[in-house]
């Protein structure tokens, strides 16, 4: 399974990691919904750290698309909140 | 992809797919597809250059503020040693504002440096992918029928398209950040243009508008502290202590000997 951390690169993870990723991602979403900046930062960092440590970096010249794309490490709570309300990072 | 149905990744992925549609049309010819990728790469390079320009602008403001700090500090000391506490305070108020601005500029420069590094890394990845696409495109053209080639090229283009979309997102974030910073930098420039950090001895008598603004902008407690510190260093204040200085000057060696 290929996971991209936006603004960073792609990582190759075993398919068996998806349960753990899902768990970590749920914490991120919960923190956003609760509007807790510190918890959000921590949960996002934990998620991205897990991708980095459990996965291996995909070569720059690989042409595979990603199965999952995660937001950049420096995403703010406000950015994440506007993501969920449909006001994306990229204006239409 | 089983199991991963989280809202967050779905949203992010949908956004990238949208960009992907915009960036890649599978119906286009292979060579045109590659040509477009190369054009996008140029745009990314321009984007990085813009971040560098914004950073340089902030750095120039920093060095100009740095000079003002030194100048205002010197003037405050001179004013104080001449017993002109009011002028010293005015200089220190300016210095305090300049210092605050300098700190904020410093944070912004660091931030832009991080953005620049990220964009440079992304650009490198994109360049590698476009190069791989170019090679693959030639192989596919030589080995497969037109219909089959189209399918395989679409697969390969997905990887490039995704990277392009991701660089696009990173660039947009960088642009948003530099725009916020520009507003702040413009505000500093306005203060500079109004002569805020200029020679304090050029002040007219009485308070002008700049002084009123400065009183609001500067931290009065910080100014008080610095004024007190400076007085301590100079061992001087307008009235009473001035006499002590002259007596101390009269017998410097003897005084230290008695301690």
């Amino acid at each position: 399974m290929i996971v991209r951390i936006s603004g960073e690169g792609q990582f190759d993870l075993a398919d068996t990691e998806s349960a753990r990723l899902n768990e970590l991602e749920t914490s991120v979403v919960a923190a956003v919904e609760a509007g807790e900046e510190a918890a959000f930062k921590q949960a996002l960092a934990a998620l991205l750290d897990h991708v980095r440590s459990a996965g291996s970096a995909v070569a720059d010249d690989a042409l595979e698309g990603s199965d999952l794309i995660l937001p950049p490490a420096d995403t703010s709570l406000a950015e994440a909140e506007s993501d969920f309300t449909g006001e994306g990072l990229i204006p239409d | 992809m089983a199991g991963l149905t989280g809202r967050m990744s779905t949203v992010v992925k949908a956004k990238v797919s949208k960009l992907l549609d915009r960036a890649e049309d599978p119906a286009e010819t292979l060579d045109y597809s590659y040509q477009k990728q190369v054009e996008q790469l140029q745009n990314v390079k321009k984007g990085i250059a813009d971040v560098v320009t914004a950073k340089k602008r902030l750095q120039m403001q920093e060095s100009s503020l740095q000079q003002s700090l030194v100048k205002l500090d010197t003037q405050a000391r001179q004013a104080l040693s001449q017993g002109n506490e009011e002028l010293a305070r005015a200089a220190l108020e300016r210095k305090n504002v300049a210092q605050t601005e300098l700190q904020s500029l410093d944070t912004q420069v660091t931030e832009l440096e991080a953005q620049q590094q990220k964009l440079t890394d992304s650009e490198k990845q994109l360049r590698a992918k476009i190069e791989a696409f170019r090679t693959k495109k030639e192989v596919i053209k030589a080995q497969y029928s037109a219909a089959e080639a189209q399918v395989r090229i679409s697969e390969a283009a997905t990887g490039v398209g995704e990277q392009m979309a991701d660089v696009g997102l990173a660039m947009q974030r960088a642009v948003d950040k530099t725009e916020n910073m520009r507003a702040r930098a413009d505000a500093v420039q306005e203060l500079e243009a109004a002569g805020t950090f200029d020679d304090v001895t050029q002040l007219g008598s009485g308070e002008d508008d700049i002084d009123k603004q400065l009183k609001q902008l500067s931290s009065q407690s910080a100014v008080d502290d610095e004024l007190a510190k400076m007085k301590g260093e100079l061992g001087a204040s307008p009235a009473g202590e001035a006499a002590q200085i002259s007596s101390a000057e009269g017998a410097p060696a003897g005084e230290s000997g008695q301690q």
Side-chain angles (χ1 to χ4, degrees):
Chain A
M1 168 174 62
I2 308 284
V3 179
R4 172 182 289 276
I5 299 179
S6 185
E8 200 169 311
Q10 291 173 302
F11 296 85
D12 196 355
L13 275 82
D15 287 344
T16 49
E17 287 296 328
S18 62
R20 177 73 185 132
L21 284 184
N22 216 3
E23 225 175 271
L24 289 164
E25 193 194 40
T26 304
S27 313
V28 178
V29 174
V32 173
E33 275 167 357
E36 286 167 11
E37 180 92 47
F40 166 72
K41 290 263 175 218
Q42 202 180 9
L44 181 62
L47 171 63
L48 301 186
D49 280 346
H50 183 72
V51 171
R52 292 183 198 111
S53 60
S56 53
V58 173
D60 283 357
D61 62 357
L63 290 173
E64 284 167 283
S66 304
D67 299 303
L68 174 68
I69 299 174
L70 299 174
D74 61 352
T75 304
S76 67
L77 179 65
E79 280 174 319
E81 276 169 346
S82 79
D83 255 5
F84 293 161
T85 58
E87 277 253 348
L89 297 175
I90 293 270
D92 291 319
Chain B
M1 178 203 24
L4 286 163
T5 51
R7 242 167 97 202
M8 179 177 63
S9 59
T10 312
V11 171
V12 176
K13 201 168 162 70
K15 206 181 300 170
V16 172
S17 308
K18 203 163 117 194
L19 282 168
L20 206 59
D21 290 342
R22 223 161 33 187
E24 279 305 322
D25 179 355
E28 280 164 355
T29 68
L30 310 180
D31 291 330
Y32 183 60
S33 198
Y34 171 69
Q35 189 193 322
K36 258 179 68 177
Q37 290 168 7
V38 173
E39 278 171 23
Q40 295 263 11
L41 187 63
Q42 293 308 316
N43 285 339
V44 173
K45 286 182 177 161
K46 271 184 221 149
I48 295 173
D50 286 347
V51 172
V52 173
T53 307
K55 190 182 80 180
K56 282 192 177 145
R57 206 182 134 186
L58 293 181
Q59 281 170 330
M60 274 164 67
Q61 279 196 328
E62 271 193 314
S63 75
S64 139
L65 275 177
Q66 202 91 54
Q67 285 169 9
S68 298
L69 279 185
V70 175
K71 193 175 66 189
L72 290 167
D73 188 82
T74 309
Q75 290 187 338
R77 277 170 204 281
Q78 281 170 354
L80 207 55
S81 65
Q82 287 159 12
N84 191 344
E85 187 169 332
E86 206 178 314
L87 192 62
R89 174 175 285 278
L92 288 179
E93 270 165 2
R94 284 164 156 70
K95 187 185 162 195
N96 181 265
V97 173
Q99 224 153 14
T100 310
E101 290 305 333
L102 196 61
Q103 272 159 12
S104 135
L105 282 176
D106 217 35
T107 312
Q108 291 173 8
V109 167
T110 309
E111 168 96 9
L112 281 187
E113 246 151 31
Q115 295 290 331
Q116 184 190 338
Q117 188 55 51
K118 273 189 172 183
L119 281 176
T120 308
D121 291 347
S122 288
E123 189 258 350
K124 184 173 149 264
Q125 290 170 351
L126 180 59
R127 207 164 358 110
K129 282 183 170 31
I130 291 176
E131 184 53 29
F133 179 84
R134 189 184 67 83
T135 310
K136 193 155 189 170
K137 157 177 90 80
E138 295 307 320
V139 171
I140 292 171
K141 273 205 292 193
Q143 287 183 355
Y144 296 93
S145 70
E148 211 176 341
Q150 190 61 56
V151 173
R152 285 171 188 272
I153 276 296
S154 293
E155 282 167 10
T158 305
V160 184
E162 185 187 301
Q163 182 72 38
M164 244 158 20
D166 195 50
V167 176
L169 284 170
M171 283 216 298
Q172 187 58 48
R173 298 182 90 230
V175 166
D176 288 349
K177 284 194 170 142
T178 49
E179 267 167 15
N180 288 341
M181 288 175 193
R182 192 169 303 150
R184 176 92 201 195
D186 285 348
V188 178
Q189 212 151 40
E190 261 176 53
L191 280 175
E192 278 189 309
T196 310
F197 308 123
D198 283 351
D199 198 339
V200 76
T201 55
Q202 302 296 309
L203 281 177
S205 57
E207 282 198 347
D208 56 11
D209 279 350
I210 295 178
D211 280 302
K212 279 179 204 145
Q213 268 185 306
L214 276 169
K215 278 232 164 65
Q216 288 172 346
L217 283 172
S218 62
S219 155
Q220 288 299 316
S221 63
V223 170
D224 286 341
D225 288 350
E226 191 160 11
L227 196 61
K229 193 174 146 227
M230 211 172 255
K231 276 186 198 170
E233 282 167 17
L234 288 168
S237 86
E241 290 168 33
Q244 284 181 7
I245 288 182
S246 47
S247 73
E249 273 168 0
E255 203 175 44
S256 61
Q258 282 164 7
Q259 290 299 319

